[in-house]
Amino acid sequence: MESRGGRNLAVSTNSDMAEVKSMFREVLPKQGQLSVEDITTMVLCKPKLLPLKSLSLEKLEKMQQAAQDTLRQQEMAEKEKQQITH
């Protein structure tokens, strides 16, 4: 036990739990029906379709493809110039 500010603090003991339970009084109804459901069931939700590629990855691939296309066009233009000069 620790003591702080003149109070004794216990670290989660059974006596603490008994004190908490004694603070609350159990009330059962005198009329009507009492039903208890302890069965937990799984709730299935709609499947979410996720894209195989993220939007940023698709943008990056488009940029790379565009850069490769411009590079190929420049190479083709240089080859044509070399063929004309020879």
Side-chain angles (χ1 to χ4, degrees):
M1 277 199 228
E2 290 181 23
S3 94
R4 286 187 189 159
R7 292 176 29 190
N8 289 332
L9 300 176
V11 181
S12 175
T13 62
N14 288 338
S15 63
D16 291 339
M17 296 303 286
E19 288 175 16
V20 170
K21 285 182 182 178
S22 66
M23 289 172 34
F24 297 103
R25 188 170 53 96
E26 183 177 6
V27 178
L28 294 174
K30 303 256 191 263
Q31 294 178 340
Q33 291 183 333
L34 176 65
S35 66
V36 178
E37 296 180 13
D38 287 336
I39 301 169
T40 57
T41 58
M42 291 181 60
V43 177
L44 299 176
C45 59
K46 247 175 127 175
K48 294 179 174 80
L49 297 177
L50 298 175
L52 295 176
K53 293 182 181 179
S54 67
L55 293 176
S56 57
L57 181 60
E58 287 181 5
K59 286 180 183 178
L60 181 63
E61 286 179 344
K62 285 180 183 178
M63 289 172 51
Q64 287 177 341
Q65 186 65 36
Q68 286 178 350
D69 289 344
T70 55
L71 184 62
R72 283 188 194 125
Q73 288 175 356
Q74 289 175 356
E75 288 175 352
M76 294 294 272
E78 286 179 13
K79 285 182 182 179
E80 288 177 4
K81 284 182 183 178
Q82 287 177 356
Q83 288 178 356
I84 292 173
T85 57
H86 288 305

